[in-house]
Amino acid sequence: MASAPTIFISAWRNPSVRYLLYSDVFQVLKDSGARLVIFLRDEDLGHFAPRLEAGNVLCRPVYMAQALAQLKGTRLGRWLLLANTRLSGTDGSQRNLTAEARIYLHDYNFRGGWRAQLIDNAAIALGRLASQSRALRRGLVALQDRLFPGRFYDPYFQEFQPRLLVTSSVGYSIDPFFMRAAHRHHCPVAAIVHSWDNPTAKGFRAARPDAVIAWNHQMAQELAVYQDIDPGIISVEGVAHWDYYFDGSLRPRPRPEFLASLGLAPQRRLIFYGSSAPKNFPHTFDALEWLAKGLAENRFAEPAQLLVRLHPAYFVSKGQGRVLEAYQGRIEALERDYGGLVRFAHPSIESLAGGLDMPKADMLELAETLGHADVLLTEYSTLMIEAAILDRPVINVSLFQYRDTARPAKFFETYTHLQPVLESGACRNAYSFDQLQEMLGGYLRDPALDRANRARLVDKMIPVNRGRAGRAVGQRLLDLAGVAQKV
């Protein structure tokens, strides 16, 4: 085992575990015989290590406290972080409006004194200036390389001498410290983009990857334009954690059995509400209560019922409990007061000290629910794409305000990563309760509405390796590490 080539996998994010370790990516790497060292949040190591460690797989702490101390624990670190998260590359014709939305949020929520405001404004001004200058962006990356080299990761490289470091970002949050250590030890870095919004919503990278793996050509273009990444090092390999939609492994129960398991009626249409995080949509429960009343009054063209799945952010620990506890009374009232017309199906996830464990079983449960739904209601989430895969009508519930600011919820539509979905016509957006009622009625009467648009969206977002993206990503990583795949 000591002579086996080693691959480092930094998977400390909850979605990284899901994307890299609960898909065929991990299985391909594991089957190659290479030694895999997985880096996880220190406080969650005791949960994941017994589930992952076996044979050629080891788990180690990612040194979260040390990394965060450099990222946010110094004034200079925080200042540079603010500049990075408010800037974006450009090619002159394309502009990342998500960066401007982040500036608006910062300004709206700022509560410091005039000195702090001057300091923050200087960071934002630097970000805006760097957005217009590729040379300045390169200079900022080089400056951070020198100031924050991530030397606390050096012992890992000295001990294992890896051939490749795999990260789940192109260089934001704590990943740049690990990436800089890798380059110092002549270890190439492969960055996997695990979420559709990451190239545009997380700010500008603070380190340099040597290879990048994208979902689709749209994402590859975003990486090239907004992250200054050479198109020659970007490969498009598909969406690894959605392979089950295409490979035949998704085996949903018959609809009557599925509905009966939730206490729902087989003769009623099913409206599925998949929420976003409460910080983005703090009034989701106001919409749910309006929907419940409408169902009781038969306002939606066809007799229907509502199944609600809350975003995983509701289940994160906060203070002495979970975020969900603040909403528990309203959940119980909805289920109690509407005669079985409303049910909540919580994700099958486990709350951990540092985050969440979101196993593949939970993803399959979500896919089964989408498959049995007649209409999906969501809040600009990736569920829009998953519903399109299954040819399910989608309505974005764009009510109330954008994050409780002065702007309406439709301000989310300025986000760059949403543009391909919104432009496709695969979903409809309800900006009032009247519009929501009308759209629900239309889709319940004719679920084939916008079918062609949904198909075009799937072609755009998942153009390659349907059903085998995990294996394609895994093989790409083995090629980058110079490790032959076992036959």
Side-chain angles (χ1 to χ4, degrees):
M1 194 64 226
S3 61
T6 297
I7 297 174
F8 280 3
I9 304 174
S10 179
W12 58 270
R13 295 177 177 85
N14 304 325
S16 306
V17 172
R18 180 182 62 187
Y19 195 87
L20 295 173
L21 306 182
Y22 293 161
S23 70
D24 284 342
V25 175
F26 181 56
Q27 196 60 50
V28 168
L29 297 179
K30 188 176 178 182
D31 290 347
S32 74
R35 177 171 55 184
L36 308 180
V37 185
I38 302 170
F39 297 90
L40 301 154
R41 286 177 179 265
D42 309 39
E43 61 269 42
D44 293 341
L45 202 63
H47 170 83
F48 286 111
R51 293 164 169 79
L52 298 172
E53 287 193 332
N56 57 330
V57 180
L58 303 173
C59 294
R60 293 292 186 270
V62 77
Y63 295 152
M64 199 76 185
Q66 293 95 316
L68 287 177
Q70 291 201 8
L71 184 70
K72 299 180 178 180
T74 67
R75 290 180 179 177
L76 180 57
R78 290 193 302 272
W79 191 80
L80 287 170
L81 177 63
L82 179 58
N84 279 337
T85 54
R86 270 61 181 179
L87 74 87
S88 179
T90 181
D91 65 355
S93 61
Q94 299 178 80
R95 185 160 153 254
N96 181 13
L97 294 178
T98 310
E100 291 301 313
R102 292 174 69 91
I103 293 171
Y104 169 74
L105 270 180
H106 175 272
D107 292 345
Y108 189 90
N109 294 316
F110 185 81
R111 297 294 182 269
W114 67 269
R115 289 187 180 86
Q117 188 169 30
L118 282 175
I119 293 170
D120 280 12
N121 286 347
I124 291 171
L126 175 61
R128 281 181 162 151
L129 183 62
S131 294
Q132 305 304 315
S133 170
R134 192 180 186 116
L136 185 50
R137 295 194 293 274
R138 284 198 299 264
L140 276 172
V141 173
L143 175 64
Q144 290 169 94
D145 283 349
R146 292 182 62 86
L147 292 174
F148 305 108
R151 296 195 182 280
F152 45 89
Y153 290 121
D154 286 354
Y156 282 143
F157 288 91
Q158 293 160 0
E159 177 183 1
F160 293 106
Q161 299 181 6
R163 291 192 183 180
L164 184 71
L165 167 65
V166 180
T167 65
S168 64
S169 84
V170 295
Y172 66 87
S173 190
I174 70 169
D175 289 337
F177 305 123
F178 218 152
M179 296 166 74
R180 293 165 196 149
H183 287 145
R184 195 162 49 253
H185 291 272
H186 310 291
C187 173
V189 177
I192 295 179
V193 182
H194 71 256
S195 185
W196 68 324
D197 67 344
N198 286 182
T200 59
K202 300 296 184 181
F204 191 74
R205 61 182 175 82
R208 175 183 55 82
D210 299 287
V212 180
I213 298 175
W215 289 17
N216 50 52
H217 303 292
Q218 172 75 31
M219 182 180 285
Q221 182 187 40
E222 291 170 352
L223 290 163
V225 174
Y226 302 128
Q227 299 292 338
D228 290 348
I229 292 175
D230 179 358
I233 70 168
I234 303 172
S235 63
V236 172
E237 305 293 353
V239 189
H241 70 309
W242 287 348
D243 279 343
Y244 51 79
Y245 281 118
F246 305 100
D247 66 7
S249 62
L250 178 61
R251 301 181 183 277
R253 290 167 287 176
R255 180 183 171 94
E257 180 183 339
F258 169 77
L259 293 173
S261 71
L262 295 165
L264 294 168
Q267 70 274 18
R268 285 182 170 268
R269 300 291 184 87
L270 181 62
I271 300 170
F272 177 42
Y273 199 118
S275 84
S276 289
K279 70 176 181 179
N280 288 333
F281 285 84
H283 296 286
T284 292
F285 275 81
D286 295 333
L288 294 176
E289 287 161 358
W290 178 87
L291 284 163
K293 187 175 180 181
L295 291 169
E297 296 173 356
N298 289 313
R299 283 200 243 126
F300 304 127
E302 299 285 344
Q305 56 203 330
L306 178 65
L307 180 62
V308 182
R309 175 186 165 102
L310 297 174
H311 189 276
Y314 280 88
F315 301 87
V316 173
S317 296
K318 187 175 182 180
Q320 298 301 311
R322 296 186 299 177
V323 175
L324 180 69
E325 293 173 9
Y327 301 90
Q328 193 61 45
R330 298 177 80 174
I331 292 172
E332 293 170 0
L334 281 164
E335 291 194 323
R336 180 187 65 239
D337 296 343
Y338 286 94
L341 293 176
V342 181
R343 288 285 182 266
F344 284 78
H346 291 332
S348 298
I349 57 182
E350 187 172 348
S351 183
L352 307 177
L356 298 168
D357 184 5
M358 301 183 290
K360 186 172 182 178
D362 176 63
M363 294 188 282
L364 295 174
E365 289 172 10
L366 171 59
E368 179 185 45
T369 303
L370 279 170
H372 288 309
D374 292 288
V375 180
L376 168 69
L377 303 183
T378 190
E379 298 158 339
Y380 303 111
S381 76
T382 50
L383 291 179
M384 293 185 292
I385 304 171
E386 292 179 77
I389 295 171
L390 296 171
D391 189 25
R392 293 297 178 264
V394 181
I395 303 171
N396 283 306
V397 181
S398 189
L399 307 175
F400 309 106
Q401 302 304 112
Y402 169 71
R403 288 194 172 192
D404 264 351
T405 68
R407 295 190 178 182
K410 70 176 295 184
F411 184 63
F412 272 105
E413 295 179 19
T414 65
Y415 280 35
T416 301
H417 72 281
L418 290 173
Q419 300 310 307
V421 180
L422 299 174
E423 291 167 3
S424 72
C427 61
R428 300 190 180 189
N429 311 310
Y431 307 121
S432 69
F433 285 118
D434 287 344
Q435 287 183 343
L436 180 54
Q437 181 172 326
E438 180 182 355
M439 290 174 185
L440 264 174
Y443 275 141
L444 289 173
R445 282 189 295 265
D446 184 4
L449 290 172
D450 303 320
R451 173 167 288 163
N453 294 338
R454 292 193 288 272
R456 281 193 289 271
L457 175 64
V458 176
D459 288 341
K460 186 178 186 67
M461 301 305 288
I462 315 171
V464 300
N465 294 327
R466 295 181 181 180
R468 59 175 304 276
R471 302 199 67 81
V473 172
Q475 183 58 60
R476 174 65 176 152
L477 294 175
L478 291 177
D479 291 345
L480 291 168
V483 177
Q485 187 174 14
K486 288 186 176 180
V487 179

